[in-house]
Amino acid sequence: DRQASLAQAKDAGRQLKSAAETIRTLDSENPSWGAIVNRLKARMPSLRRFYPRSMGTWEGFKVEEHTRRAFNILKEQERHYDLVNMGERYGLRLRAVIRIALAMHDVGKPLSYDILLGALDRANVEGNPFAEAGKNAFIPHESLSIGALNRMMESLGFSTKEIALAKALVGNHAIGHMVQDKLSQSRAAQQLID
């Protein structure tokens, strides 16, 4: 029992250290996309299946390439905003919140597509009483992305307010609008915080 308790304590210590390192990477001055995505994949191994998939990103890239390109645009935009000080005014790690929201905003697309195809396959079985329901089985990718984002952020120790902000950024596509220069980071954050 003592060995099991020690093993649990060591594992808890590793988890805390990993979470702290992931937060530091997300909130660092100039992180690489690779460093961020590798940290997230290490914490949530299922992401390894979703990032390399090509599913409905507006420019036709795989989810990982689309998100990497969006991250590079975000880094360029960050030069014009002081997200650290802006976030501190609201008690948020705003830079880390925006980055994790961006990193995970489309991870639900492949799963949404898989669910739809599976439902359509089941609906096409002759005599299936659920055929009509199967045709309407599309689950918006935002819902699936938000679920993964919520689990990730909780495991990293983000506050309830930070998680709500990230979910709002993904859920109403504000993160995409920011990267496409349709909405500034400060304006998006202000709208979502108020």
Side-chain angles (χ1 to χ4, degrees):
D1 283 334
R2 186 170 193 274
Q3 279 186 322
S5 293
L6 284 173
Q8 286 178 333
K10 283 183 180 180
D11 186 49
R14 280 192 293 275
Q15 290 293 327
L16 285 172
K17 182 179 178 186
S18 172
E21 290 170 352
T22 302
I23 294 287
R24 259 194 312 279
T25 301
L26 284 164
D27 207 24
S28 66
E29 188 66 34
N30 193 22
S32 71
W33 162 247
I36 288 175
V37 78
N38 288 337
R39 286 245 170 244
L40 298 178
K41 286 179 184 177
R43 292 201 60 82
M44 187 180 282
S46 61
L47 291 176
R48 293 182 185 127
R49 291 192 327 255
F50 300 123
Y51 276 118
R53 301 267 309 272
S54 179
M55 291 294 126
T57 55
W58 59 271
E59 70 284 78
F61 297 120
K62 293 181 176 169
V63 173
E64 188 162 3
E65 177 64 13
H66 160 78
T67 308
R68 184 189 63 76
R69 287 172 179 251
F71 179 76
N72 287 338
I73 293 168
L74 177 71
K75 279 178 58 175
E76 180 62 31
Q77 291 173 345
E78 283 180 352
R79 295 178 338 128
H80 306 288
Y81 303 101
D82 186 356
L83 296 178
V84 174
N85 285 328
M86 178 190 283
E88 285 175 357
R89 282 186 293 201
Y90 297 100
L92 301 168
R93 293 170 286 188
L94 189 56
R95 184 167 58 188
V97 168
I98 290 172
R99 288 175 178 172
I100 196 168
L102 179 67
M104 297 188 70
H105 79 282
D106 274 344
V107 297
K109 282 189 176 183
L111 185 57
S112 178
Y113 183 75
D114 291 348
I115 290 168
L116 177 63
L117 287 183
L120 290 176
D121 286 347
R122 288 187 300 279
N124 288 330
V125 174
E126 194 172 321
N128 179 354
F130 302 105
E132 279 306 308
K135 292 176 185 171
N136 298 315
F138 180 73
I139 297 175
H141 78 276
E142 301 88 355
S143 300
L144 298 168
S145 296
I146 286 171
L149 176 65
N150 189 65
R151 285 189 304 281
M152 177 69 76
M153 292 183 78
E154 283 178 351
S155 79
L156 292 169
F158 279 93
S159 72
T160 303
K161 192 162 55 168
E162 289 169 328
I163 293 170
L165 175 57
K167 289 165 57 174
L169 286 168
V170 173
N172 70 14
H173 296 282
I175 197 78
H177 294 153
M178 284 172 16
V179 172
Q180 294 173 32
D181 248 350
K182 295 177 185 175
L183 183 65
S184 74
Q185 288 181 15
S186 57
R187 181 92 171 116
Q190 192 64 50
Q191 285 177 0
L192 294 167
I193 290 168
D194 291 340

